[in-house]
Amino acid sequence: MKNPLDSAALDAAIEDVHRAGMPGLFAEVRDDGQVWRGAAGVADVTTGRPVTAGMRHRVGSITKTFTAAAVLQQVESGHLGLDTPIGRYLPKLVPGERGDAITVRMLINHTSGLAEYLPYAYPSLKALPALADTGPQSLDDHRLTRFDPAELIEMGVGAPAVGVPGGTPGVYSNTNYLLLVQLLEQVTGTTAERYITRNVIERAGLRDTELPAGPHVTGPHSKLYEAWFGMIDPPRDYSVYDMSWVGPSASLISTVADLNRFYGMLLAGKIVSPSSLAQMQHTGPVISQEGKTIDYGLGLYPVESPGQGTFWGHGGTVWGGGALAMIRADGKRQMAVAVNMQRWNRLGSSGRPQPHPIDDALATLYRIAMYG
């Protein structure tokens, strides 16, 4: 399992992703004290400004690990019960029988049965998951929209259920995490952003990580190019975007170095207790937004390869950007990768995303970064 960092192989692998069609990407890999940082391609396709490994980046649903950790801190302090019905805390948002049946744990591990609100908030996405019948128009319409989280939750709670509370497989849904944000605000008496900043981001010693208040990414950053399955050609920059459409379920701005530091601290038991970490690593089947069944815990999921040990972490996407951060269970090998284009796969005649050279090149980069 001891695979020291191979800088030349990592340099070649990251360059191959750019050559396959990714405008720009950057990464950091750590192995037992050794650190490799790399970048390839451009942060701006018009000016040719290069990406650098220290850039700040929207990391999407990686935010969910931060939010889950904040909720577990409140469980540890006795202010929340992991298996307490959500209706006891937020009766107006999840009323009636569902409020009695859905627990805090079911929100964190996506087994609540609550639907995703996104197709209801973005009219041109209402046909999801039928991608061929969607369009990117609402992505432009909502660039600077300030969404009310209670209204988004109402869309998800009011939509037809995607499963029974606690049933498996669960179905990944941002509605769950918007409810967790409301729950945090209720029990802490402050905003979720403030609580997560103070008790998760600052506790981990992260200096380039924030939950943004406005639509801009401050500091050195890349533009974010959204292709929406070939329907936006050439891909359009969505780096300036009001993130209230996801709030502290997917709005985090961070760096690859901060992400590696955070997951290192989390697995070392320095953000939540070892018993809470064990709860986070207790997984069950969940259908991802891509329609694949994955193992999912409480804001964490595992990646396993025979003979290589288990890695834990989370991935995330926003309009135009994406990231993946993973750490081996022993805490010694880590990887964080950020990319500045999303949904590059065009749809085939079946309406499904077709393979693209970027897919294989990224998979190779991840393999070399994690396993050497």
Side-chain angles (χ1 to χ4, degrees):
M1 212 158 75
K2 183 69 184 142
N3 297 313
L5 290 185
D6 183 337
S7 294
L10 286 162
D11 288 339
I14 200 168
E15 205 56 63
D16 284 347
V17 182
H18 170 54
R19 264 200 293 270
M22 179 62 65
L25 71 159
F26 44 101
E28 181 189 85
V29 181
R30 298 183 182 187
D31 187 273
D32 214 5
Q34 278 187 291
V35 181
W36 169 89
R37 292 187 186 97
V42 298
D44 185 328
V45 297
T46 307
T47 66
R49 173 171 59 94
V51 285
T52 62
M55 282 182 160
R56 304 179 87 231
H57 196 71
R58 297 196 191 277
V59 300
S61 285
I62 288 174
T63 317
K64 287 182 172 63
T65 312
F66 288 70
T67 304
V71 172
L72 282 157
Q73 289 175 355
Q74 288 298 300
V75 172
E76 287 171 19
S77 64
H79 296 136
L80 281 176
L82 208 45
D83 296 305
T84 302
I86 190 65
R88 205 169 293 175
Y89 302 113
L90 302 170
K92 288 184 179 162
L93 291 176
V94 193
E97 286 181 18
R98 279 211 286 185
D100 294 337
I102 295 169
T103 65
V104 174
R105 185 192 303 272
M106 291 173 200
L107 297 176
I108 314 178
N109 69 11
H110 296 292
T111 59
S112 69
L114 293 172
E116 174 63 62
Y117 63 80
L118 199 57
Y120 303 92
Y122 281 72
S124 68
L125 307 185
K126 68 176 180 290
L128 283 173
L131 295 172
D133 298 327
T134 66
Q137 301 90 313
S138 357
L139 276 61
D140 279 325
D141 297 342
H142 286 318
R143 275 180 189 268
L144 298 176
T145 301
R146 197 78 191 146
F147 282 105
D148 175 358
E151 287 178 13
L152 295 175
I153 289 166
E154 196 178 334
M155 292 173 190
V157 173
V162 293
V164 297
T168 56
V171 177
Y172 192 97
S173 167
N174 283 295
T175 306
N176 293 316
Y177 274 72
L178 282 193
L179 278 162
L180 291 170
V181 167
Q182 296 299 308
L183 184 61
L184 272 175
E185 302 202 339
Q186 173 120 337
V187 297
T188 63
T190 186
T191 66
E193 286 90 344
R194 206 167 290 142
Y195 180 84
I196 294 167
T197 299
R198 197 169 57 230
N199 295 281
V200 181
I201 294 171
E202 290 176 3
R203 184 180 291 191
L206 311 183
R207 299 190 173 175
D208 286 305
T209 299
E210 66 173 338
L211 291 161
H216 295 272
V217 181
T218 56
H221 64 280
S222 172
K223 293 196 167 186
L224 301 176
Y225 296 101
E226 180 60 54
W228 197 257
F229 306 103
M231 296 180 212
I232 307 176
D233 190 14
R236 198 174 299 141
D237 170 32
Y238 285 99
S239 54
V240 177
Y241 213 95
D242 188 302
M243 297 301 291
S244 59
W245 65 280
V246 280
S249 68
S251 64
L252 199 73
I253 293 167
S254 191
T255 63
V256 288
D258 267 8
L259 291 178
N260 278 337
R261 179 176 174 86
F262 167 69
Y263 282 103
M265 298 282 280
L266 181 69
L267 258 71
K270 294 178 179 173
I271 308 295
V272 298
S273 70
S275 63
S276 290
L277 180 64
Q279 295 274 7
M280 293 180 83
Q281 293 175 313
H282 182 73
T283 65
V286 167
I287 299 169
S288 73
Q289 285 178 313
E290 292 75 40
K292 297 173 184 161
T293 301
I294 60 170
D295 285 324
Y296 197 92
L298 302 184
L300 277 180
Y301 60 80
V303 170
E304 295 173 271
S305 184
Q308 299 288 357
T310 301
F311 279 71
W312 291 93
H314 213 291
T317 66
V318 294
W319 309 132
L324 178 67
M326 285 283 156
I327 178 169
R328 200 166 62 202
D330 64 6
K332 291 184 175 172
R333 182 91 174 196
Q334 290 188 257
M335 164 197 89
V337 178
V339 299
N340 68 1
M341 183 170 69
Q342 276 305 306
R343 287 158 282 269
W344 51 79
N345 305 80
R346 290 176 178 268
L347 302 180
S349 54
S350 66
R352 294 173 187 272
Q354 297 301 289
H356 190 288
I358 290 173
D359 304 325
D360 288 339
L362 262 181
T364 300
L365 172 61
Y366 296 152
R367 181 177 51 74
I368 293 170
M370 288 196 284
Y371 309 126

